[in-house]
mmCIF file with all atom_site columns, all heavy atoms in Angstrom:
data_model
loop_
_atom_site.group_PDB
_atom_site.id
_atom_site.type_symbol
_atom_site.label_atom_id
_atom_site.label_alt_id
_atom_site.label_comp_id
_atom_site.label_asym_id
_atom_site.label_entity_id
_atom_site.label_seq_id
_atom_site.pdbx_PDB_ins_code
_atom_site.Cartn_x
_atom_site.Cartn_y
_atom_site.Cartn_z
_atom_site.occupancy
_atom_site.B_iso_or_equiv
_atom_site.pdbx_formal_charge
_atom_site.auth_seq_id
_atom_site.auth_comp_id
_atom_site.auth_asym_id
_atom_site.auth_atom_id
_atom_site.pdbx_PDB_model_num
ATOM 1   N N   . SER W 1 116 ? -11.986 -26.262 19.517 1.00 0.00 ? 116 SER W N   1
ATOM 2   C CA  . SER W 1 116 ? -10.747 -26.007 20.231 1.00 0.00 ? 116 SER W CA  1
ATOM 3   C C   . SER W 1 116 ? -9.668  -26.975 19.775 1.00 0.00 ? 116 SER W C   1
ATOM 4   O O   . SER W 1 116 ? -8.496  -26.617 19.635 1.00 0.00 ? 116 SER W O   1
ATOM 5   C CB  . SER W 1 116 ? -10.962 -26.141 21.747 1.00 0.00 ? 116 SER W CB  1
ATOM 6   O OG  . SER W 1 116 ? -11.856 -25.165 22.224 1.00 0.00 ? 116 SER W OG  1
ATOM 7   N N   . LEU W 1 117 ? -10.053 -28.227 19.527 1.00 0.00 ? 117 LEU W N   1
ATOM 8   C CA  . LEU W 1 117 ? -9.083  -29.223 19.069 1.00 0.00 ? 117 LEU W CA  1
ATOM 9   C C   . LEU W 1 117 ? -8.497  -28.844 17.713 1.00 0.00 ? 117 LEU W C   1
ATOM 10  O O   . LEU W 1 117 ? -7.296  -28.953 17.485 1.00 0.00 ? 117 LEU W O   1
ATOM 11  C CB  . LEU W 1 117 ? -9.754  -30.594 18.976 1.00 0.00 ? 117 LEU W CB  1
ATOM 12  C CG  . LEU W 1 117 ? -9.948  -31.350 20.286 1.00 0.00 ? 117 LEU W CG  1
ATOM 13  C CD1 . LEU W 1 117 ? -10.865 -32.539 20.062 1.00 0.00 ? 117 LEU W CD1 1
ATOM 14  C CD2 . LEU W 1 117 ? -8.616  -31.812 20.835 1.00 0.00 ? 117 LEU W CD2 1
ATOM 15  N N   . ILE W 1 118 ? -9.339  -28.394 16.809 1.00 0.00 ? 118 ILE W N   1
ATOM 16  C CA  . ILE W 1 118 ? -8.870  -28.037 15.463 1.00 0.00 ? 118 ILE W CA  1
ATOM 17  C C   . ILE W 1 118 ? -7.836  -26.931 15.536 1.00 0.00 ? 118 ILE W C   1
ATOM 18  O O   . ILE W 1 118 ? -6.844  -26.921 14.794 1.00 0.00 ? 118 ILE W O   1
ATOM 19  C CB  . ILE W 1 118 ? -10.053 -27.616 14.574 1.00 0.00 ? 118 ILE W CB  1
ATOM 20  C CG1 . ILE W 1 118 ? -10.943 -28.831 14.263 1.00 0.00 ? 118 ILE W CG1 1
ATOM 21  C CG2 . ILE W 1 118 ? -9.556  -26.990 13.266 1.00 0.00 ? 118 ILE W CG2 1
ATOM 22  C CD1 . ILE W 1 118 ? -12.209 -28.480 13.524 1.00 0.00 ? 118 ILE W CD1 1
ATOM 23  N N   . GLU W 1 119 ? -8.028  -25.977 16.451 1.00 0.00 ? 119 GLU W N   1
ATOM 24  C CA  . GLU W 1 119 ? -7.146  -24.819 16.526 1.00 0.00 ? 119 GLU W CA  1
ATOM 25  C C   . GLU W 1 119 ? -5.992  -25.008 17.508 1.00 0.00 ? 119 GLU W C   1
ATOM 26  O O   . GLU W 1 119 ? -5.127  -24.146 17.620 1.00 0.00 ? 119 GLU W O   1
ATOM 27  C CB  . GLU W 1 119 ? -7.956  -23.580 16.908 1.00 0.00 ? 119 GLU W CB  1
ATOM 28  C CG  . GLU W 1 119 ? -8.977  -23.204 15.841 1.00 0.00 ? 119 GLU W CG  1
ATOM 29  C CD  . GLU W 1 119 ? -9.668  -21.888 16.143 1.00 0.00 ? 119 GLU W CD  1
ATOM 30  O OE1 . GLU W 1 119 ? -9.400  -21.304 17.214 1.00 0.00 ? 119 GLU W OE1 1
ATOM 31  O OE2 . GLU W 1 119 ? -10.464 -21.446 15.311 1.00 0.00 ? 119 GLU W OE2 1
ATOM 32  N N   . SER W 1 120 ? -5.951  -26.128 18.215 1.00 0.00 ? 120 SER W N   1
ATOM 33  C CA  . SER W 1 120 ? -4.879  -26.374 19.170 1.00 0.00 ? 120 SER W CA  1
ATOM 34  C C   . SER W 1 120 ? -3.714  -27.078 18.501 1.00 0.00 ? 120 SER W C   1
ATOM 35  O O   . SER W 1 120 ? -3.746  -27.388 17.308 1.00 0.00 ? 120 SER W O   1
ATOM 36  C CB  . SER W 1 120 ? -5.405  -27.237 20.328 1.00 0.00 ? 120 SER W CB  1
ATOM 37  O OG  . SER W 1 120 ? -5.630  -28.559 19.867 1.00 0.00 ? 120 SER W OG  1
ATOM 38  N N   . ASP W 1 121 ? -2.659  -27.348 19.255 1.00 0.00 ? 121 ASP W N   1
ATOM 39  C CA  . ASP W 1 121 ? -1.517  -28.087 18.710 1.00 0.00 ? 121 ASP W CA  1
ATOM 40  C C   . ASP W 1 121 ? -1.939  -29.466 18.227 1.00 0.00 ? 121 ASP W C   1
ATOM 41  O O   . ASP W 1 121 ? -1.321  -30.033 17.326 1.00 0.00 ? 121 ASP W O   1
ATOM 42  C CB  . ASP W 1 121 ? -0.416  -28.232 19.766 1.00 0.00 ? 121 ASP W CB  1
ATOM 43  C CG  . ASP W 1 121 ? 0.435   -26.978 19.885 1.00 0.00 ? 121 ASP W CG  1
ATOM 44  O OD1 . ASP W 1 121 ? 0.293   -26.098 19.012 1.00 0.00 ? 121 ASP W OD1 1
ATOM 45  O OD2 . ASP W 1 121 ? 1.218   -26.879 20.839 1.00 0.00 ? 121 ASP W OD2 1
ATOM 46  N N   . ALA W 1 122 ? -2.999  -30.021 18.810 1.00 0.00 ? 122 ALA W N   1
ATOM 47  C CA  . ALA W 1 122 ? -3.486  -31.331 18.369 1.00 0.00 ? 122 ALA W CA  1
ATOM 48  C C   . ALA W 1 122 ? -3.925  -31.293 16.917 1.00 0.00 ? 122 ALA W C   1
ATOM 49  O O   . ALA W 1 122 ? -3.844  -32.291 16.202 1.00 0.00 ? 122 ALA W O   1
ATOM 50  C CB  . ALA W 1 122 ? -4.652  -31.785 19.255 1.00 0.00 ? 122 ALA W CB  1
ATOM 51  N N   . GLY W 1 123 ? -4.406  -30.137 16.470 1.00 0.00 ? 123 GLY W N   1
ATOM 52  C CA  . GLY W 1 123 ? -4.868  -30.003 15.094 1.00 0.00 ? 123 GLY W CA  1
ATOM 53  C C   . GLY W 1 123 ? -3.899  -29.268 14.195 1.00 0.00 ? 123 GLY W C   1
ATOM 54  O O   . GLY W 1 123 ? -4.255  -28.899 13.067 1.00 0.00 ? 123 GLY W O   1
ATOM 55  N N   . ASP W 1 124 ? -2.683  -29.028 14.658 1.00 0.00 ? 124 ASP W N   1
ATOM 56  C CA  . ASP W 1 124 ? -1.674  -28.314 13.864 1.00 0.00 ? 124 ASP W CA  1
ATOM 57  C C   . ASP W 1 124 ? -1.097  -29.268 12.823 1.00 0.00 ? 124 ASP W C   1
ATOM 58  O O   . ASP W 1 124 ? -0.190  -30.051 13.108 1.00 0.00 ? 124 ASP W O   1
ATOM 59  C CB  . ASP W 1 124 ? -0.575  -27.777 14.782 1.00 0.00 ? 124 ASP W CB  1
ATOM 60  C CG  . ASP W 1 124 ? 0.355   -26.812 14.068 1.00 0.00 ? 124 ASP W CG  1
ATOM 61  O OD1 . ASP W 1 124 ? 0.544   -26.971 12.837 1.00 0.00 ? 124 ASP W OD1 1
ATOM 62  O OD2 . ASP W 1 124 ? 0.888   -25.900 14.721 1.00 0.00 ? 124 ASP W OD2 1
ATOM 63  N N   . LEU W 1 125 ? -1.609  -29.220 11.614 1.00 0.00 ? 125 LEU W N   1
ATOM 64  C CA  . LEU W 1 125 ? -1.201  -30.158 10.571 1.00 0.00 ? 125 LEU W CA  1
ATOM 65  C C   . LEU W 1 125 ? 0.256   -29.984 10.183 1.00 0.00 ? 125 LEU W C   1
ATOM 66  O O   . LEU W 1 125 ? 0.977   -30.958 9.974  1.00 0.00 ? 125 LEU W O   1
ATOM 67  C CB  . LEU W 1 125 ? -2.104  -29.979 9.342  1.00 0.00 ? 125 LEU W CB  1
ATOM 68  C CG  . LEU W 1 125 ? -3.593  -30.250 9.574  1.00 0.00 ? 125 LEU W CG  1
ATOM 69  C CD1 . LEU W 1 125 ? -4.388  -29.894 8.327  1.00 0.00 ? 125 LEU W CD1 1
ATOM 70  C CD2 . LEU W 1 125 ? -3.826  -31.691 9.960  1.00 0.00 ? 125 LEU W CD2 1
ATOM 71  N N   . ALA W 1 126 ? 0.706   -28.731 10.062 1.00 0.00 ? 126 ALA W N   1
ATOM 72  C CA  . ALA W 1 126 ? 2.096   -28.489 9.667  1.00 0.00 ? 126 ALA W CA  1
ATOM 73  C C   . ALA W 1 126 ? 3.058   -29.078 10.684 1.00 0.00 ? 126 ALA W C   1
ATOM 74  O O   . ALA W 1 126 ? 4.049   -29.715 10.327 1.00 0.00 ? 126 ALA W O   1
ATOM 75  C CB  . ALA W 1 126 ? 2.346   -26.984 9.500  1.00 0.00 ? 126 ALA W CB  1
ATOM 76  N N   . LEU W 1 127 ? 2.755   -28.881 11.964 1.00 0.00 ? 127 LEU W N   1
ATOM 77  C CA  . LEU W 1 127 ? 3.619   -29.407 13.019 1.00 0.00 ? 127 LEU W CA  1
ATOM 78  C C   . LEU W 1 127 ? 3.687   -30.926 12.944 1.00 0.00 ? 127 LEU W C   1
ATOM 79  O O   . LEU W 1 127 ? 4.761   -31.522 13.058 1.00 0.00 ? 127 LEU W O   1
ATOM 80  C CB  . LEU W 1 127 ? 3.101   -28.958 14.388 1.00 0.00 ? 127 LEU W CB  1
ATOM 81  C CG  . LEU W 1 127 ? 3.906   -29.432 15.608 1.00 0.00 ? 127 LEU W CG  1
ATOM 82  C CD1 . LEU W 1 127 ? 5.330   -28.896 15.539 1.00 0.00 ? 127 LEU W CD1 1
ATOM 83  C CD2 . LEU W 1 127 ? 3.231   -28.973 16.894 1.00 0.00 ? 127 LEU W CD2 1
ATOM 84  N N   . GLY W 1 128 ? 2.553   -31.561 12.727 1.00 0.00 ? 128 GLY W N   1
ATOM 85  C CA  . GLY W 1 128 ? 2.527   -33.011 12.637 1.00 0.00 ? 128 GLY W CA  1
ATOM 86  C C   . GLY W 1 128 ? 3.351   -33.533 11.476 1.00 0.00 ? 128 GLY W C   1
ATOM 87  O O   . GLY W 1 128 ? 4.133   -34.486 11.619 1.00 0.00 ? 128 GLY W O   1
ATOM 88  N N   . PHE W 1 129 ? 3.217   -32.907 10.303 1.00 0.00 ? 129 PHE W N   1
ATOM 89  C CA  . PHE W 1 129 ? 3.982   -33.355 9.141  1.00 0.00 ? 129 PHE W CA  1
ATOM 90  C C   . PHE W 1 129 ? 5.470   -33.062 9.291  1.00 0.00 ? 129 PHE W C   1
ATOM 91  O O   . PHE W 1 129 ? 6.326   -33.823 8.844  1.00 0.00 ? 129 PHE W O   1
ATOM 92  C CB  . PHE W 1 129 ? 3.443   -32.706 7.867  1.00 0.00 ? 129 PHE W CB  1
ATOM 93  C CG  . PHE W 1 129 ? 2.206   -33.370 7.341  1.00 0.00 ? 129 PHE W CG  1
ATOM 94  C CD1 . PHE W 1 129 ? 0.973   -32.734 7.424  1.00 0.00 ? 129 PHE W CD1 1
ATOM 95  C CD2 . PHE W 1 129 ? 2.265   -34.636 6.770  1.00 0.00 ? 129 PHE W CD2 1
ATOM 96  C CE1 . PHE W 1 129 ? -0.170  -33.348 6.938  1.00 0.00 ? 129 PHE W CE1 1
ATOM 97  C CE2 . PHE W 1 129 ? 1.125   -35.255 6.287  1.00 0.00 ? 129 PHE W CE2 1
ATOM 98  C CZ  . PHE W 1 129 ? -0.091  -34.607 6.373  1.00 0.00 ? 129 PHE W CZ  1
ATOM 99  N N   . GLN W 1 130 ? 5.798   -31.943 9.933  1.00 0.00 ? 130 GLN W N   1
ATOM 100 C CA  . GLN W 1 130 ? 7.213   -31.634 10.164 1.00 0.00 ? 130 GLN W CA  1
ATOM 101 C C   . GLN W 1 130 ? 7.833   -32.667 11.089 1.00 0.00 ? 130 GLN W C   1
ATOM 102 O O   . GLN W 1 130 ? 8.968   -33.109 10.875 1.00 0.00 ? 130 GLN W O   1
ATOM 103 C CB  . GLN W 1 130 ? 7.336   -30.228 10.755 1.00 0.00 ? 130 GLN W CB  1
ATOM 104 C CG  . GLN W 1 130 ? 7.075   -29.129 9.730  1.00 0.00 ? 130 GLN W CG  1
ATOM 105 C CD  . GLN W 1 130 ? 6.880   -27.763 10.374 1.00 0.00 ? 130 GLN W CD  1
ATOM 106 O OE1 . GLN W 1 130 ? 6.829   -27.631 11.592 1.00 0.00 ? 130 GLN W OE1 1
ATOM 107 N NE2 . GLN W 1 130 ? 6.763   -26.744 9.550  1.00 0.00 ? 130 GLN W NE2 1
ATOM 108 N N   . GLU W 1 131 ? 7.088   -33.068 12.118 1.00 0.00 ? 131 GLU W N   1
ATOM 109 C CA  . GLU W 1 131 ? 7.588   -34.106 13.025 1.00 0.00 ? 131 GLU W CA  1
ATOM 110 C C   . GLU W 1 131 ? 7.771   -35.427 12.281 1.00 0.00 ? 131 GLU W C   1
ATOM 111 O O   . GLU W 1 131 ? 8.758   -36.127 12.469 1.00 0.00 ? 131 GLU W O   1
ATOM 112 C CB  . GLU W 1 131 ? 6.610   -34.284 14.191 1.00 0.00 ? 131 GLU W CB  1
ATOM 113 C CG  . GLU W 1 131 ? 6.566   -33.098 15.144 1.00 0.00 ? 131 GLU W CG  1
ATOM 114 C CD  . GLU W 1 131 ? 5.468   -33.231 16.173 1.00 0.00 ? 131 GLU W CD  1
ATOM 115 O OE1 . GLU W 1 131 ? 4.600   -34.128 16.020 1.00 0.00 ? 131 GLU W OE1 1
ATOM 116 O OE2 . GLU W 1 131 ? 5.449   -32.445 17.136 1.00 0.00 ? 131 GLU W OE2 1
ATOM 117 N N   . ARG W 1 132 ? 6.804   -35.751 11.418 1.00 0.00 ? 132 ARG W N   1
ATOM 118 C CA  . ARG W 1 132 ? 6.902   -36.996 10.647 1.00 0.00 ? 132 ARG W CA  1
ATOM 119 C C   . ARG W 1 132 ? 8.121   -36.982 9.732  1.00 0.00 ? 132 ARG W C   1
ATOM 120 O O   . ARG W 1 132 ? 8.894   -37.941 9.684  1.00 0.00 ? 132 ARG W O   1
ATOM 121 C CB  . ARG W 1 132 ? 5.649   -37.181 9.792  1.00 0.00 ? 132 ARG W CB  1
ATOM 122 C CG  . ARG W 1 132 ? 5.665   -38.421 8.925  1.00 0.00 ? 132 ARG W CG  1
ATOM 123 C CD  . ARG W 1 132 ? 4.738   -38.306 7.736  1.00 0.00 ? 132 ARG W CD  1
ATOM 124 N NE  . ARG W 1 132 ? 5.208   -37.329 6.768  1.00 0.00 ? 132 ARG W NE  1
ATOM 125 C CZ  . ARG W 1 132 ? 4.625   -37.107 5.596  1.00 0.00 ? 132 ARG W CZ  1
ATOM 126 N NH1 . ARG W 1 132 ? 3.532   -37.777 5.274  1.00 0.00 ? 132 ARG W NH1 1
ATOM 127 N NH2 . ARG W 1 132 ? 5.106   -36.194 4.759  1.00 0.00 ? 132 ARG W NH2 1
ATOM 128 N N   . ASP W 1 133 ? 8.301   -35.885 8.984  1.00 0.00 ? 133 ASP W N   1
ATOM 129 C CA  . ASP W 1 133 ? 9.405   -35.815 8.027  1.00 0.00 ? 133 ASP W CA  1
ATOM 130 C C   . ASP W 1 133 ? 10.750  -35.768 8.722  1.00 0.00 ? 133 ASP W C   1
ATOM 131 O O   . ASP W 1 133 ? 11.736  -36.303 8.225  1.00 0.00 ? 133 ASP W O   1
ATOM 132 C CB  . ASP W 1 133 ? 9.229   -34.594 7.122  1.00 0.00 ? 133 ASP W CB  1
ATOM 133 C CG  . ASP W 1 133 ? 8.065   -34.763 6.155  1.00 0.00 ? 133 ASP W CG  1
ATOM 134 O OD1 . ASP W 1 133 ? 7.505   -35.878 6.109  1.00 0.00 ? 133 ASP W OD1 1
ATOM 135 O OD2 . ASP W 1 133 ? 7.720   -33.792 5.470  1.00 0.00 ? 133 ASP W OD2 1
ATOM 136 N N   . SER W 1 134 ? 10.788  -35.140 9.899  1.00 0.00 ? 134 SER W N   1
ATOM 137 C CA  . SER W 1 134 ? 12.030  -35.079 10.657 1.00 0.00 ? 134 SER W CA  1
ATOM 138 C C   . SER W 1 134 ? 12.433  -36.472 11.124 1.00 0.00 ? 134 SER W C   1
ATOM 139 O O   . SER W 1 134 ? 13.608  -36.850 11.076 1.00 0.00 ? 134 SER W O   1
ATOM 140 C CB  . SER W 1 134 ? 11.874  -34.151 11.867 1.00 0.00 ? 134 SER W CB  1
ATOM 141 O OG  . SER W 1 134 ? 13.023  -34.160 12.665 1.00 0.00 ? 134 SER W OG  1
ATOM 142 N N   . ALA W 1 135 ? 11.433  -37.250 11.543 1.00 0.00 ? 135 ALA W N   1
ATOM 143 C CA  . ALA W 1 135 ? 11.713  -38.591 12.047 1.00 0.00 ? 135 ALA W CA  1
ATOM 144 C C   . ALA W 1 135 ? 12.129  -39.545 10.934 1.00 0.00 ? 135 ALA W C   1
ATOM 145 O O   . ALA W 1 135 ? 12.873  -40.490 11.159 1.00 0.00 ? 135 ALA W O   1
ATOM 146 C CB  . ALA W 1 135 ? 10.483  -39.145 12.764 1.00 0.00 ? 135 ALA W CB  1
#
Side-chain angles (χ1 to χ4, degrees):
S116 296
L117 281 169
I118 291 174
E119 295 187 356
S120 71
D121 279 349
D124 191 330
L125 299 174
L127 180 61
F129 280 109
Q130 287 167 354
E131 291 173 348
R132 178 203 69 175
D133 290 353
S134 175

